[in-house]
Structure formats: C-alpha cells, structure tokens
Amino acid sequence: MPTERITFPGHAGTALAARLDLPEGPVLATALFAHCFTCSKDIPAARRIAGRLASMGIAVLRFDFTGLGHSDGEFENTSFSSNVSDLIAAAQYLAGRDMAPQLLIGHSLGGAAVLRARAGIPSVRGVVTLGAPYDPEHVAHNFGSQLTEIEAVGAAEVCLGGRPFTIRRQFLDDIRASALGPCIADLDAALLVMHAPRDETVGIDNAAEIFAAAKHPKSFVTLDDADHLISRAQDAEYAAEVIAAWAGRYVEMTPPAPPPGAPEGIVRVAEADPEGFLQDIQSGPRHHALADEPLAYGGTNRGMSPYGFVAAGLGACTSMTIRMYARRKEWPLDSVSVDVCHDKVHAQDAAPAGPAKIDQFTRKISLCGTLTPDQRARLLEIADKCPVHRTLESGARVITVDISPH
C-alpha cells in the first residue's frame, strides 16, 4: 500500500511525525490510530493493522505523540490529556484534507485516549479499543518503585521497554483525574472492544468495565491468546479484518461508481506462506479468500486451487446469467446450481505434430422449477453466453508489468 510521510502541528504547535497508509484504489473511509504508552506509530501492531485496513479501502493515519518516535517536543512535559489533544489535532489535519476520520482505533493507553478524544472529533462514527485500560491510572504500575520518588521530588527517570523516560508528577495527577466512565457513557458512536483474555499487562477486567459503561451499539471480540502488544502478524491481521467488517455496519463505505467502460477493481494476491503455496487474496475492501494447493502437491489445502477459482468463476457467472435471463422473462425458475470440473484432455483437432492437450471445463447445470422444455433449452443456450464462458473460449491476453521496488 502507498504510504505518505507527513508532519502536522500537535497540541503545542510542535511537529508530529505521521504515516498515512492509503488504499491502492478509492478511499472508502479514514481511521486515526493511537499507539500504546511510550510506543510509536511504527510498532508492528500499528503498522500491520494499518496496512491491512488500507488494503481493504480504509486509509489510516498513525502518528507519534509529542516527544515520542520522530515527533518533536519533550515527552516529560506531556500528559494523557496532551495525547488526547494530539489526537484531536490529527483529526483536524485529516479534516483539512477532506479526510475527516470516521474511525478511531486505540491500542492500550491509546485506546483510553481515543475514548476521551471522541467528544472532540465530531466526524467519528466508530471507536475501537485494543487491550485498553478502563482507568488511565493503570499505567502507573509501570513506574514501580519510582512512584514514591515522583511524588516526593516531582519527577523521576523510569525505564520502560528498555528505554529511560522522565515522568513528572503532573503526569500522575493527570491520569488520576482522567476518569473515562462518563466519556464512554456519552460516546455517541459505535464501540468495538477487543481484548485478549490472558493479557498480562492490561487485564481482561478492563474490557468488561469499558463494555459495561458503554451504551449500544457496542461489541466485544476476543483476541484469544494474543499478547498485549499484538506482536504476532496473524493476530494483527485478524484484528484488522474484524475492524473492517464491523465498521461496515456503522460507516458508509460505498465505493464510487466506476466510469462507463472502466475495468473492474484490482485483485491483490500476496504470498502468505513462503514455505508452501498459500496465497492471500483481497478483492476490494470487503472480499477476502485463500488459495492453496492440495497436500499431495506440497500445499496445505487451506483454500481452493487456482483452477478451482477459475471453475468457481465460470460456475458463478453461469448461474448469474441464467437467473438474470429468467428474471427478465418472468419464468418460474426456483433455483439454479452449477457443478464445474476441470481436466486436461487431448485436443481432437490439434495438428498431428504431437499429443496436444487442452483445458476442458465440464459444466453440469440443474434448473429447478415448473419450466417448459423450451424454457429449459433456452436457459441452457443462455448459459453459453455468460461472459466468463466467452472469455475462456475466446482466450485472453495477459500483460505483465514489473512494479518491484528498486
């Protein structure tokens, strides 16, 4: 997916570094992603979720909060409230590009921040939390024995994730005063709570409190055995797919109508298992499938074979064409089913040079309904006029273009 590197002014006017992950095609919706405490926009979970959502038509802005990652400013002078203000500033930046966010997605303390920020971002229709605490003060347990020093002296250096950070008393005061209950109750947006039951950093009871405080519409989806940072690729992919499917109920994501004669949308096929043959197939923002080979051919049999997809295309197009014709004629066709099998057969009309073989698709059509013999015969004739049938019989030209990064 194309990614723009951008900066925009944060709550204090300092430059915040961001990445805007964009779909290959039209932008169907825009999401704003808030990372976890002391993390960055580039942690694997944020990058993978943003990339997957972009492949499904949802643009995602992820940025470093003030004083973190590549953003300017001093972290020690920030607070939970300043993070919320940074989120509102990010939303205002997107609105200035006619991409006001309809979705807020927050991971860990970022999840708490998006719950608070929602009130300041009127374009939002859905909020998603990933492993979020119900009480922002939850992060104070990371400060350990330094809590006493922070209270007594006003500041202390704390090691978080192997890096030193200065935490000031103002930060503690701010998270203690940041009760989320009223914000969640007045969210005025659909809520999706995602949490792993065995999250050792932020317990599952936090998800229960967030869910209980919210009004409908609200949903809860488990992240099963994912860790708090959602560090495994398959967990991030799963989270993104659930978010996209859920958002479709609350966010208008209708793609623009293509101009007359425009080709269909791009189907992206990406290798999912370099050790085998599993392929990840994404067609537009809503349709996802897997392709594979049978075990006997070295695959893992987790999806249809490539020829299986070709046969499926022929069968689907045949059924649709028959139904369309019968509907227009108002004939009593109750149902259609099409069985398709593929094989290599000797070409009877091939030149005598050798035992040439061609691809043969055998199509068995079942038409149910009180149809006359003439109607049945006509519908079988119409089957031969389906576009995929014609393409297979007439052949097609394939053009290959190298778009590898150099």
Side-chain angles (χ1 to χ4, degrees), residues 305 307-308 310-311 340-345 358-362:
S305 70
Y307 274 109
V310 177
V340 182
C341 65
H342 167 258
D343 202 357
K344 298 277 190 180
V345 299
I358 63 171
D359 289 280
Q360 176 174 293
F361 291 89
T362 302

Side-chain angles (χ1 to χ4, degrees), residues 5-365:
R5 297 188 177 190
I6 59 177
T7 59
F8 63 90
H11 74 282
T14 55
L16 303 186
R19 299 286 184 271
L20 181 60
D21 296 283
L22 294 164
E24 290 280 3
V27 175
L28 305 184
T30 304
L32 180 55
F33 191 102
H35 62 70
C36 52
F37 184 53
T38 71
C39 297
S40 79
K41 66 183 181 305
D42 298 315
I43 64 168
R47 182 167 36 82
R48 289 167 178 156
I49 290 173
R52 186 62 171 161
L53 289 176
S55 75
M56 294 183 277
I58 301 175
V60 182
L61 179 71
R62 47 193 170 97
F63 69 97
D64 294 325
F65 285 117
T66 299
L68 292 173
H70 297 94
S71 290
D72 293 341
E74 298 295 329
F75 174 79
E76 64 188 75
N77 294 324
T78 64
S79 64
F80 177 72
S81 294
S82 72
N83 287 350
V84 171
S85 297
D86 281 346
L87 276 167
I88 294 173
Q92 290 170 345
Y93 166 80
L94 287 170
R97 294 185 53 166
D98 293 324
M99 297 177 68
Q102 297 99 330
L103 288 174
L104 294 179
I105 305 170
H107 179 205
S108 193
L109 190 63
V114 298
L115 290 170
R116 170 72 78 79
R118 158 66 187 109
I121 309 176
S123 59
V124 169
R125 296 293 174 265
V127 178
V128 182
T129 64
L130 300 156
Y134 175 72
D135 183 354
E137 192 179 2
H138 184 279
V139 299
H141 79 275
N142 293 295
F143 306 153
S145 59
Q146 279 77 32
L147 267 175
T148 303
E149 183 179 352
I150 297 170
E151 294 280 14
V153 181
E157 188 174 276
V158 177
C159 185
L160 300 170
R163 293 176 297 159
F165 292 92
T166 297
I167 303 295
R168 295 184 178 276
R169 187 163 50 212
Q170 70 181 40
F171 182 89
L172 292 179
D173 293 340
D174 186 57
I175 57 176
R176 286 167 180 164
S178 299
L180 290 181
C183 300
I184 299 171
D186 297 331
L187 198 62
D188 192 26
L191 175 65
L192 172 61
V193 179
M194 305 188 77
H195 213 109
R198 290 182 283 183
D199 188 328
E200 296 180 353
T201 303
V202 178
I204 188 69
D205 56 307
N206 287 270
E209 291 185 272
I210 292 172
F211 189 82
K215 296 183 176 72
H216 286 287
K218 57 182 178 179
S219 306
F220 176 82
V221 175
T222 179
L223 290 175
D224 296 318
D225 59 347
D227 59 23
H228 180 67
L229 291 178
I230 318 178
S231 57
R232 292 186 307 192
Q234 60 264 39
D235 294 326
E237 295 278 331
Y238 171 73
E241 290 182 8
V242 170
I243 292 168
W246 171 86
R249 297 184 66 89
Y250 307 105
V251 176
E252 179 60 46
M253 293 197 294
T254 303
E264 292 187 28
I266 293 173
V267 174
R268 168 158 292 183
V269 180
E271 191 174 50
D273 180 11
E275 301 299 320
F277 296 112
L278 186 66
Q279 306 294 314
D280 184 282
I281 303 171
Q282 187 69 43
S283 177
R286 299 178 185 273
H287 306 297
H288 176 250
L290 296 173
D292 205 345
E293 290 285 3
L295 296 172
Y297 291 93
T300 55
N301 200 32
R302 293 167 62 188
M304 287 198 300
S305 70
Y307 274 109
F309 277 99
V310 177
L314 175 60
C317 187
T318 299
S319 179
M320 292 175 185
T321 302
I322 291 173
R323 172 54 68 188
M324 182 172 60
Y325 188 85
R327 185 179 294 143
R328 187 168 67 244
K329 291 289 187 177
E330 297 184 349
W331 287 354
L333 177 64
D334 295 334
S335 65
V336 185
S337 69
V338 184
D339 295 340
V340 182
C341 65
H342 167 258
D343 202 357
K344 298 277 190 180
V345 299
H346 286 282
Q348 300 300 320
D349 299 326
K357 287 191 174 184
I358 63 171
D359 289 280
Q360 176 174 293
F361 291 89
T362 302
R363 182 176 52 187
K364 299 179 180 180
I365 302 173

Side-chain angles (χ1 to χ4, degrees), residues 331 367-381:
W331 287 354
L367 305 174
C368 295
T370 55
L371 298 162
T372 68
D374 288 344
Q375 288 172 337
R376 289 180 181 276
R378 181 55 178 159
L379 289 176
L380 291 177
E381 289 178 12

